[in-house]
């Protein structure tokens, strides 16, 4: 079993490939669709995801796809299960298994991710449906004036992540461990560094207590960036240097790869930051992407719910995936971005 887990984790972080996060909840995808004037019906959600799964990007630049519970059961217009489309492209189907972040008792303004109850049974069902990896997201906010994050919130979320990871590995499913320090707020880059270091050290301590096989997991962290409302924003070089520094001090070299979340960065920022980190070199693990919005904003806009725009949307998705693939290889440049566009 361990060899199987390790092989899947390695495939998820294969050179020049990344993970597509297509696991938006019903509420989130509705917001995305509202923005492009498309009604969020089951059929529209299926058509949109199907156009991505049938694109050239899937075979060239995408190693795995995180699915939502609805999507893992859906069939394409021609009756082919969407999971089969992903597998036919040479990509790995995955599944989001957490039940979302809920308010945490006695910690105003903080959340704890729920979904552990009954998870063992659900994982078995998802494995039978074709999922070979899973995702669980813990959300850590920063509000220094409000004393956030608290020790209670960081410890509880890290513990839940580790218990989820243990249940996954027992079910022969590779866990993506995602402790996200949010970039909302006005905190500076050094505060993000300090909180992320605390979160990562606590998470790996809990993973150790739960006997997680590090070779059979993938870490999905935030980058070290200042809050969106911070007076001083950071250069690409500073983000890359600080992110690599915190990861080197917290993430054991046994972990095969780190697939970053985009966390609300613009498409090009998410690509440029990843590229700059890879170019620093000398890293014990692979660095790649596990983007949602930074891969999908462009294709959603191009598609706008119209069948005649499918090819255009697929081209937009393939372009973004190609740019991020170059970044994961340390070969991206803004000239490359313009040339390909």
């Amino acid at each position: 079993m361990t060899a199987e887990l390790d092989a899947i984790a390695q495939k998820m972080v294969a050179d020049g490939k990344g993970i597509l996060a297509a696991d938006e909840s019903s509420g989130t995808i509705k917001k995305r669709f509202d923005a492009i004037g498309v009604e969020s019906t089951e059929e529209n959600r299926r058509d949109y995801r199907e156009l991505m799964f049938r694109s050239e990007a899937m075979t060239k630049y995408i190693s795995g796809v995180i699915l939502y519970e609805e999507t893992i059961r859906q069939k394409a217009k021609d009756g082919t299960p969407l999971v089969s489309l992903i597998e036919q492209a040479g990509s790995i189907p995955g599944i989001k298994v957490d039940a979302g972040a809920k308010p945490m008792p006695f910690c105003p303004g903080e959340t704890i991710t729920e979904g552990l109850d009954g998870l063992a049974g659900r994982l078995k069902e998802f494995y039978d449906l074709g999922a070979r990896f899973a995702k669980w997201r813990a959300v850590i906010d920063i509000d220094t004036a409000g004393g956030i994050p608290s020790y209670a919130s960081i410890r509880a979320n890290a513990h839940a992540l580790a218990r989820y990871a243990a249940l996954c590995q027992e079910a022969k499913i590779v866990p993506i461990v995602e402790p996200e320090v949010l970039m909302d707020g006005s905190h500076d880059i050094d505060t993000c560094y300090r909180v992320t270091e605390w979160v990562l050290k606590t998470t790996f301590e809990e993973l150790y207590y739960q006997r997680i096989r590090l070779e059979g997991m993938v870490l999905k962290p935030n980058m070290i960036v200042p809050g969106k409302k911070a007076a001083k924003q950071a250069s690409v070089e500073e983000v890359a240097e600080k992110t690599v520094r915190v990861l080197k001090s917290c993430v054991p070299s046994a972990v095969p790869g780190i697939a970053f979340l985009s966390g609300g960065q613009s498409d090009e920022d998410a690509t440029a930051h990843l590229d700059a980190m890879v170019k620093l070199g000398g890293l014990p693990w692979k660095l790649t992407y596990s983007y949602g919005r930074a891969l999908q904003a462009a294709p959603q806009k191009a598609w706008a719910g119209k069948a005649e725009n499918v090819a255009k949307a697929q081209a937009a998705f393939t372009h973004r995936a190609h740019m991020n693939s170059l970044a994961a290889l340390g070969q991206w440049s803004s000239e490359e971005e313009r040339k390909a566009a």
Side-chain angles (χ1 to χ4, degrees):
M1 180 177 96
T2 53
E4 192 185 326
L5 284 173
D6 296 1
I8 292 163
Q10 289 288 352
K11 198 176 168 195
M12 286 164 69
V13 294
D15 291 343
K17 289 195 170 189
I19 299 159
L20 167 64
D23 59 333
E24 300 87 359
S25 65
S26 306
T28 303
I29 195 99
K30 183 184 183 306
K31 275 187 225 155
R32 304 271 192 271
F33 278 16
D34 286 349
I36 56 168
V38 175
E39 196 188 345
S40 184
T41 62
E42 190 183 345
E43 195 180 345
N44 283 340
R45 292 191 293 272
R46 180 210 60 198
D47 288 351
Y48 168 62
R49 284 168 172 152
E50 181 181 345
L51 80 81
M52 287 193 293
F53 304 159
R54 288 193 188 275
S55 71
E56 185 192 356
M58 289 294 297
T59 52
K60 288 184 169 176
Y61 312 121
I62 302 294
S63 59
V65 183
I66 311 168
L67 299 168
Y68 189 55
E69 203 159 329
E70 173 187 74
T71 322
I72 200 168
R73 304 172 199 281
Q74 275 178 324
K75 289 185 167 66
K77 218 167 210 163
D78 67 2
T80 312
L82 291 181
V83 165
S84 300
L85 290 184
I86 293 166
E87 290 168 339
Q88 284 160 20
S91 194
I92 309 164
I95 180 76
K96 167 193 155 84
V97 296
D98 69 65
K102 306 289 191 292
M104 191 167 159
F106 308 121
C107 295
E110 297 187 281
T111 61
I112 176 72
T113 301
E114 295 183 349
L116 289 171
D117 290 349
L119 182 55
R122 286 167 57 223
L123 286 167
K124 189 185 177 312
E125 186 192 357
F126 291 140
Y127 186 92
D128 293 342
L129 286 167
R132 291 298 174 266
F133 71 90
K135 186 197 97 163
W136 177 289
R137 175 176 176 251
V139 186
I140 307 293
D141 212 343
I142 297 179
D143 174 8
T144 41
I148 291 175
S150 65
Y151 174 86
S153 146
I154 289 178
R155 176 61 76 189
N157 275 292
H159 179 71
L161 271 170
R163 286 195 51 208
Y164 137 83
L167 288 163
C168 283
Q169 290 192 337
E170 191 179 52
K172 299 188 294 205
I173 285 175
V174 170
I176 288 184
V177 174
E178 179 177 355
E180 178 179 3
V181 176
L182 296 175
M183 63 184 285
D184 305 333
S186 55
H187 56 274
D188 63 16
I189 193 166
D190 292 323
T191 303
C192 177
Y193 186 103
R194 198 175 68 248
V195 171
T196 303
E197 182 177 42
W198 181 14
V199 168
L200 289 174
K201 292 226 185 258
T202 309
T203 299
F204 277 98
E205 181 184 26
E206 291 286 351
L207 290 169
Y208 172 72
Y209 291 148
Q210 297 296 328
R211 304 177 179 182
I212 298 309
R213 181 174 171 81
L214 296 179
E215 293 85 351
M217 65 162 271
V218 170
L219 180 69
K220 180 171 177 175
N222 52 285
M223 297 179 193
I224 304 300
V225 291
K228 277 187 226 171
K229 301 183 194 112
K232 184 173 181 280
Q233 289 301 312
S235 68
V236 169
E237 293 70 29
E238 187 182 10
V239 170
E241 188 274 321
K242 287 193 160 132
T243 305
V244 165
R245 181 152 40 107
V246 82
L247 293 172
K248 278 185 168 175
S249 74
C250 300
V251 183
S253 58
V255 173
I258 295 171
F260 290 102
L261 54 92
S262 49
Q265 300 177 56
S266 74
D267 297 2
E268 202 167 315
D269 282 351
T271 307
H273 288 147
L274 173 60
D275 176 72
M277 283 184 240
V278 176
K279 282 184 173 127
L280 287 171
L283 307 172
W285 1 253
K286 301 268 191 68
L287 294 186
T288 189
Y289 50 95
S290 176
Y291 296 162
R293 201 164 19 182
L295 277 171
Q296 294 188 57
Q300 277 168 8
K301 210 170 150 190
W303 173 59
K306 298 183 172 72
E308 64 269 25
N309 290 341
V310 164
K312 200 164 102 182
Q314 287 173 326
F317 174 50
T318 299
H319 169 63
R320 279 277 33 99
H322 181 206
M323 291 301 103
N324 286 305
S325 166
L326 289 174
L329 297 166
Q331 294 170 7
W332 177 85
S333 67
S334 45
E335 293 72 50
E336 198 65 51
E337 180 81 47
R338 284 191 292 275
K339 189 171 76 186

